[in-house]
Amino acid sequence: VKATLNFVLQKNPTLSYCLTGYDKVSEEDRKAGKYENPHIAFPVETTLDRLVVTKPGEQPPQLGGDVYEDPDAMATRKKG
């Protein structure tokens, strides 16, 4: 699992994960709250291939069809 997450991290540097959590820290660190709970997290907007926001009343893109996103908006979103 860790090798897979490291590979994903190379493709998406905004990925954050912790596999060990509470169990592998000292009692002192537990009391001080110096640990992370197990998690896998990443910002969705920098990971998606396309992100389209439809305004109220607009028809959203059909699933399985082509989805257009303005190239400038996509570049800005991918930068984070």
Side-chain angles (χ1 to χ4, degrees):
V1 172
K2 190 171 182 180
T4 301
L5 289 172
N6 283 330
F7 174 77
V8 173
L9 189 58
Q10 289 177 3
K11 298 289 184 186
N12 185 352
T14 60
L15 175 76
S16 170
Y17 71 91
C18 176
L19 301 176
T20 56
Y22 185 83
D23 295 336
K24 302 218 175 184
V25 296
S26 69
E27 187 65 33
E28 183 178 312
D29 284 345
R30 285 183 194 179
K31 288 180 181 175
K34 295 181 181 178
Y35 65 91
E36 291 184 88
N37 288 323
H39 70 278
I40 299 174
F42 55 88
V44 134
E45 64 273 3
T46 59
T47 305
L48 297 175
D49 183 47
R50 298 277 191 271
L51 181 65
V52 177
V53 177
T54 56
K55 296 177 181 159
E58 287 184 348
Q59 184 73 21
Q62 183 177 350
L63 293 177
D66 291 336
V67 177
Y68 174 79
E69 181 179 8
D70 177 69
D72 293 333
M74 185 187 308
T76 300
R77 177 175 58 80
K78 294 270 185 179
K79 286 181 186 176

